[in-house]
Amino acid sequence: MEVWLNYINPKLSIRFSSMVEKRLKKRKSKLIERIELQEFSLGSYPPYLGLHGIRWSTSGDQRFMHVGFDWDTNDISIMLMAKLARPMGTARIVVNSLHIKGDLLILPVLDGKAILYSFVSTPEVRIGVAFGSGGSQSLPATELPGVSSWLVKILTETLVKTMVEPRRRCYSLPAVDLRKKAVGGVIHVTVCSASKISSSNFRGSPSRRQQNYSANGSLEEHFDDKDLQTFVEVELEQLTRRTDVRAGTSPRWDSTFNMVLHEETGILRFHLYNSNPSSVKFDYLASCEIKMKYVADDSTMFWAVGPNTGVIAEHVEFCGKEIEMSVPFEGVNSGELTVKLVLKEWQFSDGSHSFNKFRVSSQQSTDGLSNILSRTGRKINVIVVEGKDLTIKERSGKCDPYVKLQYGKVFQRTRTAHAPNPFWNQKFEFDEIGDGECLKIKCYNEEMFGDDNIGSAQVNMEGLAEGSLRDVWVPLEKVNSGELRLQIEAVRADECTGSKGSTAGSGNGWIELVLIEARDLIAADLRGTSDPYVRVQYGNLKRRTKVMYRTLNPQWNQTLEFPDDGSPLELHVKDHNALLPTLSIGDCVVEYQRLPPNQMSDKWIPLQGVKRGEIHIQITRKVPEVQKRPSLDSDLSEIKSHEFSSQMREMMNKIQSLIEVCDLEGLSTALSEMEVLEDMQKDYMMQLETEQKLLLNKIKELGQEIFSSSTSIIRRSSMS
């Protein structure tokens, strides 16, 4: 009773609640649209083991313990909130009793370092359910038809897929408990070879059957092992990778993949397929799997089903050590897969890492305490460095990738690159959320008629320590290849602007960008010219220049201003078209973050994504000092406002007259000029807001100086 309450029940509750929640999200009934797990406790009464005795058996070198399992309790508390099909609203479902009865198989492995356990066959399951109100528009406390049987089905399916023979769970028994919570890891998987593959083992695969007529005219079937063209797909949660195709009954691949774990356990699944040249589809042949688990003494366990449902288990004392396992395919008479596994590192919730025989902790502060602060007030800096082996879609044959990041409700994106191995080196800043929030990543290939998704991933953000940079290659999920390199660090909010390589601005200053000219642009029109303009994107702000018609060497001489918040500054040179969508004739990123304050930088920047073209700009990081910026007095502001109003009225009259005479080219020019005028208005309003902010800051500084000086005068007078 004491062990169950204080040790087993809490751990099982955490583990099984996550399993049940995943199953609930996948399985929904016609009555229930959405269901959420709100509470999970297995209660204070443990199951009965071995009521009718314990029996040992032996298979080869492995001993098995047969134990009866009988758990009949009404002390559990599993609370679910269900959103029902309209018009019924919501209902609270409470599982208050549970009965599970079956025969357990317990296998001691690795000289007693762990036990594997599973049910011999599907156990008997009964569930007691109560119903309660779920809110203002909730269902009355009456029984919902079929919910109890639906929950029984979900629980039974979960047990069958996780702990009914030959699916076995592991309970480790380490001599030392370091009390570390593993939140993720990196493992390198090498698919080496397969052996003893025979076509006769895969009679369930129709494509392996070759039909021929015998001498007497009857239809015969026979198999030809020489035609086997196989590959292996490796699966870890949502991440999949695929080997090349190899021929024969003993193929050798030697393909290594970088895989990522998002918790302390994982299941590596290996699916064997046959590639039929005459078909676009692949034929599934067989599967096998290897499970892994972090052990509390900082080691790692791997286990799998062996020959004749035996056990294959390996124990790795430290990260970086390679192991080799030969695992039989399930459900076939022969055939096994040989793989090599290297657990590169474990990541822990306290910010430390474990790899290559050592545990590397986060740096310690001077008072000896961990420098991981509370979640409040920290910033997360994410640098999207580069990518490699990104997927090229067949639709266009091009690879123009960019990356979108989501952390909480904040979205960011990189610029578009133009290679399957792109280099971005762009930095983004997020406010730390905590509570297990992951960084979600999506990679896209830019297309003219809708961008293609070329992979996604998520990164666990727990355990980030200040002063420690996490540099990781993240494999993309739902595609066959592609990885992104990220550098992630946590910093104090007051250190963000001063951290190395920071792109954060001063907060009070502004960026002055002068778009002067461009030269040697590509021709976008059939007549050999272009109608170029520049679309400027600074974070979420967008501005544009006027259109210069029929030229490859335009001159704009326009000045734009933005608040200095460290956002990426992108220039997109476009060819204007009145009727068709605009065409890109090059883009570039302006690096300004490391410029000295108030010093103008004059440079020509080559355009990317095109064969030629350069743009000439001047950029200055203005410091927040009121005296260095021209003041905008009230009279000048009023004159400017009247000028904008009169110009807008004139432009509207001009557009109306052009519509009446059906002058499309003139209308296009007028609309472009109107957009420029609107952008100028926005710039002017931003200038006013910045001026106001600077004046308020200066007033605040003067007030603090007055207060400090008056305090010192009072102190001196009191002393005298």
Side-chain angles (χ1 to χ4, degrees):
M1 295 294 292
E2 186 174 339
V3 171
W4 171 264
L5 284 174
N6 298 322
Y7 189 72
I8 299 178
N9 178 22
K11 288 200 170 186
L12 288 181
S13 293
I14 293 171
R15 183 64 189 156
F16 282 103
S17 65
S18 63
M19 289 167 48
V20 170
E21 192 167 25
K22 288 178 182 177
R23 294 296 299 165
L24 288 172
K25 289 179 179 178
K26 290 181 180 179
R27 291 296 307 272
K28 300 171 186 175
S29 67
K30 294 181 179 178
L31 181 65
I32 298 175
E33 292 182 353
R34 190 177 74 245
I35 193 162
E36 178 184 344
L37 181 65
Q38 293 190 326
E39 183 181 322
F40 193 99
S41 172
L42 296 177
S44 58
Y45 295 104
Y48 289 102
L49 298 175
L51 283 177
H52 304 290
I54 296 173
R55 178 173 61 88
W56 285 92
S57 64
T58 304
S59 176
D61 297 333
Q62 181 65 51
R63 299 191 71 200
F64 297 83
M65 179 191 288
H66 299 259
V67 182
F69 180 96
D70 194 345
W71 193 15
D72 196 351
T73 177
N74 56 7
D75 187 46
I76 68 170
S77 178
I78 302 174
M79 188 177 297
L80 310 169
M81 181 63 73
K83 182 180 179 182
L84 308 176
R86 293 182 180 179
M88 289 190 285
T90 59
R92 183 176 287 115
I93 303 171
V94 181
V95 178
N96 53 19
S97 66
L98 178 65
H99 178 74
I100 301 177
K101 185 176 182 180
D103 293 320
L104 274 182
L105 209 59
I106 298 177
L107 297 76
V109 295
L110 301 172
D111 299 324
K113 292 186 177 70
I115 60 171
L116 304 181
Y117 59 94
S118 60
F119 284 105
V120 177
S121 58
T122 305
E124 175 189 342
V125 177
R126 294 199 306 273
I127 292 177
V129 179
F131 300 90
S133 60
S136 58
Q137 295 182 341
S138 60
L139 193 71
T142 57
E143 185 170 351
L144 297 170
V147 169
S148 180
S149 59
W150 175 68
L151 290 173
V152 167
K153 185 176 181 181
I154 289 178
L155 180 55
T156 303
E157 287 181 353
T158 302
L159 291 172
V160 168
K161 291 189 175 184
T162 57
M163 54 181 297
V164 173
E165 278 291 301
R167 311 291 180 202
R168 296 160 183 163
R169 302 196 66 81
C170 176
Y171 194 82
S172 55
L173 301 167
V176 178
D177 188 348
L178 298 178
R179 301 188 181 278
K180 306 279 282 187
K181 180 188 176 185
V183 296
V186 177
I187 183 170
H188 286 188
V189 181
T190 301
V191 181
C192 300
S193 61
S195 61
K196 305 175 186 176
I197 295 179
S198 174
S199 300
S200 58
N201 292 327
F202 308 123
R203 291 184 181 274
S205 176
S207 65
R208 295 306 314 141
R209 300 181 181 179
Q210 295 185 353
Q211 296 182 345
N212 290 307
Y213 286 94
S214 62
N216 58 9
S218 62
L219 186 65
E220 290 183 341
E221 287 185 353
H222 75 273
F223 298 85
D224 190 354
D225 291 338
K226 293 185 296 183
D227 293 336
L228 279 172
Q229 299 278 337
T230 54
F231 67 89
V232 174
E233 184 180 73
V234 186
E235 176 187 344
L236 178 60
E237 297 179 7
Q238 298 296 317
L239 180 61
T240 59
R241 288 294 181 266
R242 185 181 297 172
T243 68
D244 295 329
V245 176
R246 294 290 185 267
T249 59
S250 298
R252 187 165 194 90
W253 298 282
D254 289 324
S255 298
T256 301
F257 305 107
N258 177 31
M259 314 289 279
V260 173
L261 285 157
H262 297 299
E263 51 187 351
E264 65 175 12
T265 61
I267 303 176
L268 281 166
R269 294 185 172 91
F270 302 90
H271 307 292
L272 182 67
Y273 289 89
N274 182 60
S275 177
N276 192 339
S278 62
S279 173
V280 294
K281 293 184 177 181
F282 304 123
D283 303 322
Y284 169 78
L285 301 179
S287 294
C288 59
E289 65 181 37
I290 298 174
K291 297 181 180 180
M292 70 193 86
K293 178 182 180 180
Y294 172 75
V295 183
D297 63 356
D298 212 18
S299 60
T300 308
M301 269 197 61
F302 300 89
W303 71 97
V305 178
N308 301 318
T309 67
V311 178
I312 303 172
E314 294 285 348
H315 182 244
V316 179
E317 294 83 4
F318 51 84
C319 294
K321 181 180 178 181
E322 183 181 80
I323 62 167
E324 183 175 305
M325 300 178 72
S326 294
V327 183
F329 290 108
E330 299 174 7
V332 296
N333 298 327
S334 68
E336 64 180 19
L337 183 72
T338 300
V339 299
K340 292 180 180 179
L341 307 173
V342 182
L343 202 292
K344 302 297 289 185
E345 72 170 56
W346 284 111
Q347 301 153 5
F348 302 102
S349 59
D350 66 351
S352 61
H353 296 247
S354 181
F355 58 94
N356 294 340
K357 300 187 182 181
F358 301 101
R359 178 180 296 107
V360 178
S361 300
S362 58
Q363 296 180 6
Q364 301 296 311
S365 58
T366 55
D367 59 1
L369 299 175
S370 173
N371 59 4
I372 298 179
L373 303 181
S374 63
R375 298 294 179 180
T376 307
R378 294 207 312 181
K379 300 284 187 180
I380 303 296
N381 290 334
V382 179
I383 303 176
V384 183
V385 184
E386 58 184 314
K388 65 180 180 182
D389 302 328
L390 299 184
T391 302
I392 300 176
K393 292 293 183 178
E394 295 180 356
R395 187 166 66 182
S396 64
K398 299 191 303 179
C399 190
D400 299 320
Y402 65 90
V403 178
K404 284 186 177 181
L405 305 176
Q406 180 187 354
Y407 185 59
K409 295 182 179 179
V410 179
F411 293 82
Q412 298 279 11
R413 68 156 283 178
T414 67
R415 62 180 178 270
T416 301
H418 304 282
N421 298 305
F423 184 80
W424 292 285
N425 201 32
Q426 283 187 256
K427 185 174 182 178
F428 304 97
E429 184 181 273
F430 302 91
D431 292 319
E432 188 178 40
I433 299 174
D435 299 325
E437 185 71 27
C438 290
L439 175 69
K440 299 178 178 64
I441 303 167
K442 289 187 178 180
C443 192
Y444 292 90
N445 187 41
E446 194 172 79
E447 295 279 354
M448 182 176 293
F449 302 106
D451 297 344
D452 288 324
N453 188 330
I454 55 173
S456 60
Q458 62 179 19
V459 179
N460 194 318
M461 304 293 274
E462 285 189 82
L464 291 174
E466 291 174 29
S468 178
L469 184 71
R470 183 186 295 180
D471 194 323
V472 292
W473 280 97
V474 181
L476 295 175
E477 301 172 353
K478 301 178 183 177
V479 287
N480 293 325
S481 66
E483 296 182 48
L484 298 176
R485 184 185 171 200
L486 304 181
Q487 292 179 344
I488 307 170
E489 65 175 345
V491 296
R492 298 173 190 263
D494 56 358
E495 294 178 354
C496 289
T497 57
S499 60
K500 182 179 180 181
S502 174
T503 62
S506 62
N508 295 328
W510 66 96
I511 302 297
E512 183 181 86
L513 173 67
V514 183
L515 296 160
I516 302 174
E517 58 185 324
R519 65 187 179 195
D520 200 22
L521 299 180
I522 63 170
D525 301 334
L526 295 176
R527 58 180 180 266
T529 62
S530 294
D531 301 325
Y533 69 94
V534 182
R535 169 67 72 180
V536 182
Q537 181 160 349
Y538 182 77
N540 294 324
L541 300 176
K542 293 182 179 180
R543 298 288 184 269
R544 58 168 289 175
T545 67
K546 57 193 174 187
V547 179
M548 304 304 294
Y549 291 95
R550 300 182 182 87
T551 178
L552 300 180
N553 301 288
Q555 293 185 350
W556 296 285
N557 292 309
Q558 283 187 244
T559 301
L560 305 175
E561 292 184 343
F562 304 94
D564 186 2
D565 60 7
S567 296
L569 178 57
E570 302 176 9
L571 307 182
H572 303 275
V573 184
K574 305 277 188 179
D575 174 62
H576 179 73
N577 197 310
L579 302 177
L580 299 175
T582 57
L583 294 177
S584 173
I585 51 178
D587 52 58
C588 65
V589 174
V590 181
E591 301 291 346
Y592 67 91
Q593 291 87 351
R594 299 182 184 275
L595 292 177
N598 292 321
Q599 291 188 22
M600 185 264 291
S601 174
D602 187 307
K603 51 189 172 182
W604 284 89
I605 304 176
L607 296 176
Q608 299 179 4
V610 288
K611 294 181 179 179
R612 64 179 187 273
E614 293 179 284
I615 187 168
H616 184 197
I617 67 154
Q618 292 176 345
I619 186 164
T620 311
R621 286 185 65 196
K622 298 287 188 176
V623 296
E625 296 178 10
V626 176
Q627 64 271 24
K628 290 192 178 182
R629 182 167 184 174
S631 176
L632 298 174
D633 56 38
S634 58
D635 293 338
L636 181 61
S637 299
E638 189 174 353
I639 294 171
K640 271 280 189 184
S641 300
H642 286 303
E643 285 181 1
F644 281 129
S645 298
S646 60
Q647 287 174 352
M648 289 294 286
R649 283 195 298 270
E650 291 176 5
M651 190 61 66
M652 291 299 296
N653 293 333
K654 182 178 180 181
I655 289 173
Q656 188 173 358
S657 62
L658 290 170
I659 292 174
E660 291 174 355
V661 298
C662 297
D663 185 353
L664 292 180
E665 186 171 349
L667 182 62
S668 172
T669 304
L671 290 173
S672 176
E673 291 174 356
M674 189 170 183
E675 287 181 1
V676 172
L677 186 60
E678 288 176 350
D679 287 342
M680 289 173 63
Q681 274 189 299
K682 291 178 182 178
D683 290 338
Y684 182 69
M685 292 303 297
M686 186 178 296
Q687 187 177 356
L688 289 174
E689 291 172 3
T690 305
E691 185 77 11
Q692 182 186 30
K693 187 176 180 180
L694 295 174
L695 287 169
L696 290 174
N697 286 341
K698 194 66 178 178
I699 292 169
K700 184 177 178 181
E701 291 173 6
L702 290 171
Q704 289 175 347
E705 289 179 9
I706 293 169
F707 178 77
S708 300
S709 60
S710 61
T711 304
S712 61
I713 292 170
I714 293 170
R715 188 180 297 111
R716 285 198 300 270
S717 62
S718 62
M719 289 176 64
S720 60

